[in-house]
Amino acid sequence: MFIKKDLRKIPKIMEDAALCDPAAYDDDNDDNAATVSKDGRPNKRSKVEAPLSELRLSRRQSEFQGSIQILCQPQYLPKLQMLQNLNLYDCAISNLSDMGLLAQSCPRLEILNLGRNPITTLPDELAALSPSLKELWLDDCQLTGPLP
């Protein structure tokens, strides 16, 4: 299986991502149904209707520069509310100090791939992902000590 890599830089990917309102996607809410204009044509879908659910950002060492800080910019955090899968494989990330902020911004995150990064310890804030996190990939990391 071949997956085409998104060649856009992270700021452009995040800029293009839809703002999302998690309340609009609750199972009991039908407000996100398609609407029709006065002339009977379907309205254009707004960006709110296409939330970001997956980010594949592997092998972007030069963009991450050792930390996840690029994802934790205030203007990007609201766009991560519906994120379920975050792939940060082989990004030369060694500093996870912003993990608490990322965890708060991704309440639905189910899969986090941090494999092949020079991570030596995991911050306690990683435990904040536990309500939703189902898979945590840490293959080929340089971990020492206990897990949070």
Side-chain angles (χ1 to χ4, degrees):
M1 179 164 100
F2 179 75
I3 298 172
K4 185 177 177 184
K5 183 176 180 179
D6 191 338
L7 298 177
R8 297 175 296 167
K9 299 291 183 188
I10 294 172
K12 180 65 175 158
I13 292 170
M14 295 306 295
E15 227 176 79
D16 292 347
L19 283 172
C20 59
D21 176 10
Y25 298 95
D26 289 342
D27 293 336
D28 299 334
N29 190 341
D30 288 336
D31 291 343
N32 59 351
T35 58
V36 179
S37 66
K38 291 179 183 178
D39 60 0
R41 294 184 310 195
N43 286 332
K44 290 183 179 179
R45 301 186 106 196
S46 68
K47 279 191 162 190
V48 173
E49 292 181 328
L52 188 62
S53 64
E54 182 175 28
L55 266 177
R56 294 180 184 165
L57 302 175
S58 60
R59 296 185 173 97
R60 293 175 182 258
Q61 295 90 346
S62 63
E63 291 184 77
F64 280 98
Q65 298 180 353
S67 78
I68 59 173
Q69 186 176 13
I70 191 167
L71 291 178
C72 298
Q73 302 298 316
Q75 67 271 27
Y76 301 155
L77 294 176
K79 298 179 179 192
L80 301 175
Q81 291 291 311
M82 300 297 287
L83 192 65
Q84 295 176 326
N85 185 343
L86 179 57
N87 186 340
L88 302 176
Y89 180 84
D90 195 17
C91 290
I93 296 169
S94 58
N95 181 353
L96 294 174
S97 63
D98 290 320
M99 185 54 72
L101 188 55
L102 189 66
Q104 289 176 353
S105 301
C106 303
R108 291 174 168 82
L109 192 65
E110 294 179 0
I111 301 169
L112 176 59
N113 186 345
L114 293 170
R116 201 161 189 194
N117 282 294
I119 301 167
T120 56
T121 59
L122 296 176
D124 291 337
E125 293 83 10
L126 188 65
L129 290 169
S130 65
S132 62
L133 196 65
K134 295 177 182 173
E135 296 179 27
L136 175 60
W137 293 80
L138 297 167
D139 51 305
D140 294 327
C141 291
Q142 302 165 2
L143 292 173
T144 59
L147 297 176

